[in-house]
Amino acid sequence: MGTYAVTGSASGMGAASAARLREAGHEVVGVDLRDADVTADLGTADGRRHAADEVLRLSGGVLDGVAAVAGVGPNLPDAAAVASINYFGPVALLDALRPALERDGGGRAVVIGSNSATTVPMIDDRLVGLLLAGDEEAARAHAAGAQRSLPAALATSPSISAYATSKFALARWARLTAVTPEWARRGITLNTIAPGAVVTPLMTGSTMSEDDLDPDAFPTPMPRGIFGRPADIAFWVAQFLSPEAGFTTGALLTVDGGTDAAMRPDAQ
Ligand code: NAI
């Protein structure tokens, strides 16, 4: 049985992923802001360092896999925080944990992107560049400035551009990184899952109940006529983390009930 780290383990997809791994008999080190083996704020450099140190201590420095699930949604008012949590959180943690993934002959890593990266027409190219360059300070300043110029009509999703852009850049980082010798030739795989609308506290917020949700009235098409459940994502997290998945790296899997296919039928 293996040892896995899962961020965002206190809620939603991260909780479902951790539960699925534990049910299969694996050890899981959960990381979250609360209710986790390691409590840490992945939105800050100190929090990421603390998280990495604690995961390495609790795992004995050897990991079979890491699922970087923690993240926030476009409803968070602070676009700079969205950039820090959704992009720098997983990237810095995976960079710090990579050596532990190498130790047992090659581990597995998966990050959670979003189908917003391909379905929201608000990707900010300048922000993509700053994120991929690793310049957190400049990325935060740019995200905050760009947010101020967005139309008021976007009040319910004030960080939609920073959100979609953070997930776009994360998926690109995963593809760029997966094929470097430090990952690919050391047996470590790195893939992205891009979920669509999944019923979690991130999606429903504190005011909405599940009964308020109608797939046919959703702003983006929902061809399957259903919303996703955390277990729908945990299923794929477990596949990407399994030892048998060694020939799959740099891949992006959209799990969204058909939204992306409906909106971009010609994209490959
Ligand atoms: P959730 O809100 O149920 O779970 C997210 C978890 O991440 C929470 O436990 C939260 O405490 C943790 N987290 C947030 N900020 C953190 C920080 N600074 N440090 C440490 N932990 C932090 O949400 P859900 O839906 O399970 O989200 C999981 C991932 O899926 C996120 O990356 C989200 O952006 C992404 N996503 C969600 C979609 C949805 O429709 N629910 C759609 C596409 C992507």
Side-chain angles (χ1 to χ4, degrees), residues 200-232:
T200 67
L202 181 150
M203 182 186 165
T204 57
S206 53
T207 50
M208 218 190 281
S209 91
E210 212 182 316
D211 298 339
D212 301 324
L213 294 168
D214 174 3
D216 292 324
F218 205 65
T220 51
M222 300 298 294
R224 284 278 291 111
I226 53 171
F227 291 107
R229 302 279 152 180
D232 294 318

mmCIF file of all heavy atoms in Angstrom, residues 200-232:
data_model
loop_
_atom_site.group_PDB
_atom_site.id
_atom_site.type_symbol
_atom_site.label_atom_id
_atom_site.label_comp_id
_atom_site.label_asym_id
_atom_site.label_seq_id
_atom_site.Cartn_x
_atom_site.Cartn_y
_atom_site.Cartn_z
ATOM 1 N N THR A 200 -20.044 21.154 -4.845
ATOM 2 C CA THR A 200 -19.206 21.226 -3.638
ATOM 3 C C THR A 200 -19.509 22.584 -2.992
ATOM 4 O O THR A 200 -20.122 23.454 -3.631
ATOM 5 C CB THR A 200 -17.700 21.186 -3.978
ATOM 6 O OG1 THR A 200 -17.376 22.402 -4.672
ATOM 7 C CG2 THR A 200 -17.323 19.999 -4.845
ATOM 8 N N PRO A 201 -19.021 22.823 -1.774
ATOM 9 C CA PRO A 201 -19.219 24.150 -1.160
ATOM 10 C C PRO A 201 -18.656 25.278 -2.021
ATOM 11 O O PRO A 201 -19.197 26.381 -2.031
ATOM 12 C CB PRO A 201 -18.470 24.025 0.163
ATOM 13 C CG PRO A 201 -18.532 22.558 0.484
ATOM 14 C CD PRO A 201 -18.433 21.852 -0.847
ATOM 15 N N LEU A 202 -17.602 24.991 -2.800
ATOM 16 C CA LEU A 202 -17.043 26.034 -3.678
ATOM 17 C C LEU A 202 -18.086 26.491 -4.696
ATOM 18 O O LEU A 202 -18.208 27.669 -5.006
ATOM 19 C CB LEU A 202 -15.802 25.484 -4.387
ATOM 20 C CG LEU A 202 -15.030 26.399 -5.342
ATOM 21 C CD1 LEU A 202 -13.558 26.010 -5.357
ATOM 22 C CD2 LEU A 202 -15.579 26.347 -6.747
ATOM 23 N N MET A 203 -18.857 25.553 -5.193
ATOM 24 C CA MET A 203 -19.836 25.892 -6.232
ATOM 25 C C MET A 203 -21.127 26.473 -5.641
ATOM 26 O O MET A 203 -21.674 27.440 -6.162
ATOM 27 C CB MET A 203 -20.162 24.647 -7.043
ATOM 28 C CG MET A 203 -21.117 24.897 -8.170
ATOM 29 S SD MET A 203 -21.540 23.342 -8.936
ATOM 30 C CE MET A 203 -22.958 23.832 -9.881
ATOM 31 N N THR A 204 -21.580 25.892 -4.561
ATOM 32 C CA THR A 204 -22.879 26.327 -4.040
ATOM 33 C C THR A 204 -22.757 27.540 -3.128
ATOM 34 O O THR A 204 -23.739 28.258 -2.925
ATOM 35 C CB THR A 204 -23.563 25.185 -3.262
ATOM 36 O OG1 THR A 204 -22.686 24.754 -2.223
ATOM 37 C CG2 THR A 204 -23.922 24.023 -4.158
ATOM 38 N N GLY A 205 -21.569 27.777 -2.561
ATOM 39 C CA GLY A 205 -21.406 28.886 -1.627
ATOM 40 C C GLY A 205 -22.221 28.646 -0.369
ATOM 41 O O GLY A 205 -22.725 27.547 -0.143
ATOM 42 N N SER A 206 -22.382 29.667 0.434
ATOM 43 C CA SER A 206 -23.079 29.470 1.706
ATOM 44 C C SER A 206 -24.572 29.769 1.582
ATOM 45 O O SER A 206 -25.369 29.404 2.432
ATOM 46 C CB SER A 206 -22.450 30.348 2.784
ATOM 47 O OG SER A 206 -22.409 31.667 2.316
ATOM 48 N N THR A 207 -24.974 30.416 0.477
ATOM 49 C CA THR A 207 -26.374 30.848 0.397
ATOM 50 C C THR A 207 -27.234 29.903 -0.448
ATOM 51 O O THR A 207 -28.432 29.820 -0.267
ATOM 52 C CB THR A 207 -26.465 32.258 -0.226
ATOM 53 O OG1 THR A 207 -25.709 32.250 -1.427
ATOM 54 C CG2 THR A 207 -25.932 33.307 0.719
ATOM 55 N N MET A 208 -26.600 29.154 -1.367
ATOM 56 C CA MET A 208 -27.363 28.339 -2.305
ATOM 57 C C MET A 208 -27.511 26.919 -1.776
ATOM 58 O O MET A 208 -26.617 26.408 -1.100
ATOM 59 C CB MET A 208 -26.569 28.284 -3.612
ATOM 60 C CG MET A 208 -27.397 28.321 -4.865
ATOM 61 S SD MET A 208 -26.342 27.943 -6.263
ATOM 62 C CE MET A 208 -25.513 29.474 -6.521
ATOM 63 N N SER A 209 -28.633 26.271 -2.086
ATOM 64 C CA SER A 209 -28.728 24.856 -1.767
ATOM 65 C C SER A 209 -28.736 24.105 -3.092
ATOM 66 O O SER A 209 -28.924 24.698 -4.163
ATOM 67 C CB SER A 209 -29.996 24.557 -0.973
ATOM 68 O OG SER A 209 -31.034 24.239 -1.862
ATOM 69 N N GLU A 210 -28.575 22.803 -2.999
ATOM 70 C CA GLU A 210 -28.507 22.014 -4.219
ATOM 71 C C GLU A 210 -29.802 22.123 -5.024
ATOM 72 O O GLU A 210 -29.793 22.044 -6.257
ATOM 73 C CB GLU A 210 -28.237 20.565 -3.833
ATOM 74 C CG GLU A 210 -27.425 19.886 -4.883
ATOM 75 C CD GLU A 210 -27.176 18.450 -4.557
ATOM 76 O OE1 GLU A 210 -26.846 18.142 -3.392
ATOM 77 O OE2 GLU A 210 -27.321 17.640 -5.484
ATOM 78 N N ASP A 211 -30.922 22.335 -4.317
ATOM 79 C CA ASP A 211 -32.222 22.430 -5.002
ATOM 80 C C ASP A 211 -32.296 23.663 -5.907
ATOM 81 O O ASP A 211 -33.130 23.726 -6.815
ATOM 82 C CB ASP A 211 -33.367 22.498 -3.980
ATOM 83 C CG ASP A 211 -33.423 21.237 -3.140
ATOM 84 O OD1 ASP A 211 -32.881 20.214 -3.604
ATOM 85 O OD2 ASP A 211 -33.980 21.274 -2.027
ATOM 86 N N ASP A 212 -31.446 24.669 -5.608
ATOM 87 C CA ASP A 212 -31.455 25.876 -6.454
ATOM 88 C C ASP A 212 -30.745 25.641 -7.793
ATOM 89 O O ASP A 212 -30.762 26.504 -8.663
ATOM 90 C CB ASP A 212 -30.729 27.036 -5.743
ATOM 91 C CG ASP A 212 -31.376 27.367 -4.415
ATOM 92 O OD1 ASP A 212 -32.609 27.268 -4.339
ATOM 93 O OD2 ASP A 212 -30.652 27.706 -3.464
ATOM 94 N N LEU A 213 -30.110 24.508 -7.923
ATOM 95 C CA LEU A 213 -29.277 24.287 -9.108
ATOM 96 C C LEU A 213 -30.048 23.525 -10.173
ATOM 97 O O LEU A 213 -30.571 22.444 -9.910
ATOM 98 C CB LEU A 213 -28.038 23.469 -8.730
ATOM 99 C CG LEU A 213 -27.037 24.141 -7.799
ATOM 100 C CD1 LEU A 213 -26.030 23.118 -7.296
ATOM 101 C CD2 LEU A 213 -26.333 25.259 -8.537
ATOM 102 N N ASP A 214 -30.092 24.096 -11.375
ATOM 103 C CA ASP A 214 -30.766 23.431 -12.492
ATOM 104 C C ASP A 214 -29.766 23.349 -13.649
ATOM 105 O O ASP A 214 -29.368 24.377 -14.193
ATOM 106 C CB ASP A 214 -32.007 24.256 -12.881
ATOM 107 C CG ASP A 214 -32.678 23.713 -14.132
ATOM 108 O OD1 ASP A 214 -32.221 22.675 -14.660
ATOM 109 O OD2 ASP A 214 -33.655 24.341 -14.577
ATOM 110 N N PRO A 215 -29.371 22.147 -14.032
ATOM 111 C CA PRO A 215 -28.365 22.035 -15.095
ATOM 112 C C PRO A 215 -28.800 22.718 -16.389
ATOM 113 O O PRO A 215 -27.971 23.242 -17.133
ATOM 114 C CB PRO A 215 -28.208 20.525 -15.310
ATOM 115 C CG PRO A 215 -28.912 19.859 -14.205
ATOM 116 C CD PRO A 215 -29.795 20.840 -13.511
ATOM 117 N N ASP A 216 -30.110 22.741 -16.647
ATOM 118 C CA ASP A 216 -30.574 23.333 -17.905
ATOM 119 C C ASP A 216 -30.661 24.854 -17.847
ATOM 120 O O ASP A 216 -30.882 25.500 -18.874
ATOM 121 C CB ASP A 216 -31.920 22.716 -18.305
ATOM 122 C CG ASP A 216 -31.738 21.254 -18.677
ATOM 123 O OD1 ASP A 216 -30.691 20.926 -19.265
ATOM 124 O OD2 ASP A 216 -32.606 20.441 -18.326
ATOM 125 N N ALA A 217 -30.488 25.408 -16.633
ATOM 126 C CA ALA A 217 -30.474 26.872 -16.515
ATOM 127 C C ALA A 217 -29.072 27.376 -16.192
ATOM 128 O O ALA A 217 -28.879 28.547 -15.872
ATOM 129 C CB ALA A 217 -31.444 27.308 -15.410
ATOM 130 N N PHE A 218 -28.088 26.491 -16.282
ATOM 131 C CA PHE A 218 -26.714 26.869 -15.939
ATOM 132 C C PHE A 218 -26.131 27.751 -17.054
ATOM 133 O O PHE A 218 -26.509 27.602 -18.213
ATOM 134 C CB PHE A 218 -25.878 25.589 -15.768
ATOM 135 C CG PHE A 218 -24.695 25.763 -14.886
ATOM 136 C CD1 PHE A 218 -24.855 26.043 -13.536
ATOM 137 C CD2 PHE A 218 -23.400 25.657 -15.387
ATOM 138 C CE1 PHE A 218 -23.763 26.216 -12.707
ATOM 139 C CE2 PHE A 218 -22.307 25.827 -14.560
ATOM 140 C CZ PHE A 218 -22.481 26.107 -13.226
ATOM 141 N N PRO A 219 -25.226 28.696 -16.697
ATOM 142 C CA PRO A 219 -24.691 29.609 -17.724
ATOM 143 C C PRO A 219 -23.930 28.897 -18.848
ATOM 144 O O PRO A 219 -23.876 29.413 -19.953
ATOM 145 C CB PRO A 219 -23.743 30.528 -16.946
ATOM 146 C CG PRO A 219 -23.998 30.279 -15.502
ATOM 147 C CD PRO A 219 -24.782 29.022 -15.356
ATOM 148 N N THR A 220 -23.335 27.746 -18.554
ATOM 149 C CA THR A 220 -22.669 26.988 -19.624
ATOM 150 C C THR A 220 -23.487 25.722 -19.889
ATOM 151 O O THR A 220 -24.174 25.226 -18.993
ATOM 152 C CB THR A 220 -21.236 26.582 -19.211
ATOM 153 O OG1 THR A 220 -21.282 25.958 -17.927
ATOM 154 C CG2 THR A 220 -20.314 27.776 -19.158
ATOM 155 N N PRO A 221 -23.431 25.199 -21.113
ATOM 156 C CA PRO A 221 -24.235 24.010 -21.411
ATOM 157 C C PRO A 221 -23.826 22.800 -20.557
ATOM 158 O O PRO A 221 -22.645 22.613 -20.279
ATOM 159 C CB PRO A 221 -23.950 23.749 -22.896
ATOM 160 C CG PRO A 221 -22.782 24.580 -23.263
ATOM 161 C CD PRO A 221 -22.650 25.675 -22.261
ATOM 162 N N MET A 222 -24.823 22.014 -20.168
ATOM 163 C CA MET A 222 -24.573 20.801 -19.388
ATOM 164 C C MET A 222 -25.217 19.626 -20.143
ATOM 165 O O MET A 222 -26.326 19.178 -19.798
ATOM 166 C CB MET A 222 -25.186 20.923 -17.976
ATOM 167 C CG MET A 222 -24.659 22.075 -17.135
ATOM 168 S SD MET A 222 -22.898 21.973 -16.771
ATOM 169 C CE MET A 222 -22.817 20.525 -15.744
ATOM 170 N N PRO A 223 -24.563 19.132 -21.204
ATOM 171 C CA PRO A 223 -25.194 18.128 -22.067
ATOM 172 C C PRO A 223 -25.702 16.886 -21.327
ATOM 173 O O PRO A 223 -26.743 16.347 -21.695
ATOM 174 C CB PRO A 223 -24.073 17.754 -23.047
ATOM 175 C CG PRO A 223 -23.228 18.970 -23.096
ATOM 176 C CD PRO A 223 -23.252 19.543 -21.708
ATOM 177 N N ARG A 224 -25.011 16.443 -20.306
ATOM 178 C CA ARG A 224 -25.469 15.245 -19.584
ATOM 179 C C ARG A 224 -26.693 15.543 -18.716
ATOM 180 O O ARG A 224 -27.336 14.619 -18.223
ATOM 181 C CB ARG A 224 -24.339 14.674 -18.708
ATOM 182 C CG ARG A 224 -23.281 13.918 -19.432
ATOM 183 C CD ARG A 224 -23.717 12.459 -19.706
ATOM 184 N NE ARG A 224 -23.791 11.665 -18.490
ATOM 185 C CZ ARG A 224 -24.905 11.191 -17.932
ATOM 186 N NH1 ARG A 224 -26.083 11.422 -18.487
ATOM 187 N NH2 ARG A 224 -24.864 10.479 -16.833
ATOM 188 N N GLY A 225 -26.996 16.815 -18.497
ATOM 189 C CA GLY A 225 -28.172 17.150 -17.692
ATOM 190 C C GLY A 225 -27.985 16.894 -16.210
ATOM 191 O O GLY A 225 -28.962 16.813 -15.459
ATOM 192 N N ILE A 226 -26.746 16.754 -15.800
ATOM 193 C CA ILE A 226 -26.436 16.536 -14.372
ATOM 194 C C ILE A 226 -25.205 17.359 -14.024
ATOM 195 O O ILE A 226 -24.412 17.697 -14.894
ATOM 196 C CB ILE A 226 -26.127 15.050 -14.049
ATOM 197 C CG1 ILE A 226 -25.024 14.510 -14.991
ATOM 198 C CG2 ILE A 226 -27.390 14.202 -14.121
ATOM 199 C CD1 ILE A 226 -24.494 13.136 -14.621
ATOM 200 N N PHE A 227 -25.078 17.669 -12.726
ATOM 201 C CA PHE A 227 -23.824 18.244 -12.229
ATOM 202 C C PHE A 227 -22.915 17.110 -11.755
ATOM 203 O O PHE A 227 -23.384 16.005 -11.452
ATOM 204 C CB PHE A 227 -24.101 19.199 -11.069
ATOM 205 C CG PHE A 227 -24.805 20.455 -11.501
ATOM 206 C CD1 PHE A 227 -26.135 20.656 -11.201
ATOM 207 C CD2 PHE A 227 -24.140 21.418 -12.247
ATOM 208 C CE1 PHE A 227 -26.790 21.809 -11.613
ATOM 209 C CE2 PHE A 227 -24.788 22.570 -12.669
ATOM 210 C CZ PHE A 227 -26.116 22.764 -12.354
ATOM 211 N N GLY A 228 -21.626 17.412 -11.694
ATOM 212 C CA GLY A 228 -20.695 16.418 -11.188
ATOM 213 C C GLY A 228 -20.762 16.317 -9.674
ATOM 214 O O GLY A 228 -21.258 17.218 -8.988
ATOM 215 N N ARG A 229 -20.255 15.199 -9.177
ATOM 216 C CA ARG A 229 -20.140 14.957 -7.727
ATOM 217 C C ARG A 229 -18.653 14.831 -7.412
ATOM 218 O O ARG A 229 -17.878 14.390 -8.270
ATOM 219 C CB ARG A 229 -20.829 13.648 -7.345
ATOM 220 C CG ARG A 229 -22.276 13.599 -7.720
ATOM 221 C CD ARG A 229 -23.095 14.318 -6.692
ATOM 222 N NE ARG A 229 -24.299 14.862 -7.268
ATOM 223 C CZ ARG A 229 -25.212 15.545 -6.594
ATOM 224 N NH1 ARG A 229 -25.032 15.783 -5.319
ATOM 225 N NH2 ARG A 229 -26.274 16.012 -7.177
ATOM 226 N N PRO A 230 -18.259 15.147 -6.177
ATOM 227 C CA PRO A 230 -16.836 14.984 -5.833
ATOM 228 C C PRO A 230 -16.279 13.608 -6.195
ATOM 229 O O PRO A 230 -15.149 13.498 -6.670
ATOM 230 C CB PRO A 230 -16.829 15.229 -4.323
ATOM 231 C CG PRO A 230 -17.967 16.181 -4.098
ATOM 232 C CD PRO A 230 -19.038 15.761 -5.085
ATOM 233 N N ALA A 231 -17.106 12.562 -6.045
ATOM 234 C CA ALA A 231 -16.622 11.204 -6.353
ATOM 235 C C ALA A 231 -16.302 11.037 -7.838
ATOM 236 O O ALA A 231 -15.457 10.202 -8.200
ATOM 237 C CB ALA A 231 -17.671 10.169 -5.928
ATOM 238 N N ASP A 232 -16.966 11.817 -8.717
ATOM 239 C CA ASP A 232 -16.669 11.713 -10.150
ATOM 240 C C ASP A 232 -15.237 12.155 -10.442
ATOM 241 O O ASP A 232 -14.602 11.665 -11.386
ATOM 242 C CB ASP A 232 -17.629 12.605 -10.960
ATOM 243 C CG ASP A 232 -19.064 12.114 -10.873
ATOM 244 O OD1 ASP A 232 -19.273 10.886 -10.944
ATOM 245 O OD2 ASP A 232 -19.965 12.956 -10.717
#
